[in-house]
Amino acid sequence: RSPMEHVLFLSASQTLAKEFKNRGLDFDLDVTLLPPGMTVPDQPGIYATTYDTLRLREGMENHDWDFVIADEIAGARRWFESKRGAKMKILGGNAKKVLYMSATPYHTALEVGHMDALGLWESQGFDQWAKQFGVTKDIQGNYFGGNAPKKLVKLRQQLIERGQFIEQQKDLTNYKPNFLMVPLSAEQKTGLRNGIEGFELAQDYWV
């Protein structure tokens, strides 16, 4: 079959899937919302659906999709304890190409674990690869750790150099901030102080 015969767009909601379909018209792309009950398309094309559909329809993840566009992929970060994330991990591993899109792709090395398509642990498996970031696994199979800020920064740079991580800067020119001052309760003041202390601790940890 052709290199892009079966393309799948995944989003967090039907509204976003429909928006993707409509935007496709701007580029002369005919996008079809994945019909109810369909797991694998019987015709070539670009199909759009949601992560909930992936979670509920058995077998979608096993198809060797030619190209998967995974929008708001942060929803799969808990792949080790959620069905949606686990199925996304399988789907990404079976697909020929995957585009992961997110404003917050990962905070720990453990949260990268569903991105099999990156090929980072292809030769040794995720568990062995993740040990360098402090990821461990207990006898029950539960994962822990992975919060290694300096190593994660290095990982990000390596992905950029490999052409696998692209950052899109948002132009805030002509945006004007507006502030509104309101009386704060004692509880709110305590919460703000705790937040400030948390940021200061994070700064000390990262810098």
Side-chain angles (χ1 to χ4, degrees), residues 2-207:
S2 66
M4 288 293 172
E5 188 167 306
H6 286 166
V7 176
L8 178 66
F9 173 82
L10 287 167
S11 65
S13 68
Q14 283 290 349
T15 299
L16 291 174
K18 291 177 181 177
E19 182 179 329
F20 178 77
K21 172 181 170 63
N22 293 333
R23 286 299 305 273
L25 298 175
D26 297 337
F27 302 92
D28 294 324
L29 296 175
D30 184 14
V31 180
T32 302
L33 296 178
L34 193 69
M38 179 178 285
T39 299
V40 177
D42 53 5
Q43 297 292 330
I46 304 172
Y47 295 85
T49 191
T50 67
Y51 288 107
D52 281 339
T53 299
L54 171 66
R55 177 175 59 85
L56 295 171
R57 294 188 196 175
E58 297 298 330
M60 278 185 64
E61 71 279 11
N62 297 323
H63 183 54
D64 57 340
W65 297 90
D66 295 304
F67 185 35
V68 173
I69 304 170
D71 188 27
E72 299 292 348
I73 193 58
R77 288 189 306 211
R78 308 294 292 178
W79 57 273
F80 46 91
E81 60 183 16
S82 77
K83 184 176 181 180
R84 181 171 75 169
K87 294 188 77 171
M88 184 61 224
K89 178 178 173 66
I90 297 172
L91 185 144
N94 288 326
K96 293 184 175 69
K97 294 180 187 255
V98 182
L99 173 62
Y100 300 109
M101 297 195 302
S102 175
T104 54
Y106 60 85
H107 301 104
T108 71
L110 186 54
E111 294 177 351
V112 184
H114 66 89
M115 299 184 187
D116 285 8
L118 293 177
L120 294 172
W121 47 85
E122 188 173 10
S123 62
Q124 56 186 323
F126 174 76
D127 290 3
Q128 185 63 33
W129 174 85
K131 284 182 179 179
Q132 62 184 305
F133 300 95
V135 173
T136 58
K137 197 175 183 182
D138 64 19
I139 58 175
Q140 283 79 35
N142 300 309
Y143 284 100
F144 300 93
N147 186 17
K150 292 183 179 179
K151 290 185 177 181
L152 288 171
V153 170
K154 185 177 180 180
L155 171 63
R156 178 179 178 274
Q157 186 58 38
Q158 289 174 340
L159 290 173
I160 291 173
E161 293 171 357
R162 289 172 55 163
Q164 292 181 297
F165 192 111
I166 299 174
E167 182 178 2
Q168 182 177 0
Q169 296 287 349
K170 185 173 179 61
D171 185 6
L172 297 179
T173 304
N174 297 325
Y175 278 77
K176 296 181 180 179
N178 295 289
F179 298 94
L180 178 66
M181 297 185 65
V182 296
L184 296 177
S185 67
E187 183 179 0
Q188 289 172 324
K189 290 179 180 179
T190 300
L192 282 174
R193 280 196 296 269
N194 290 339
I196 292 170
E197 291 176 2
F199 279 114
E200 290 174 346
L201 288 172
Q203 182 182 25
D204 292 340
Y205 187 78
W206 278 77
V207 175

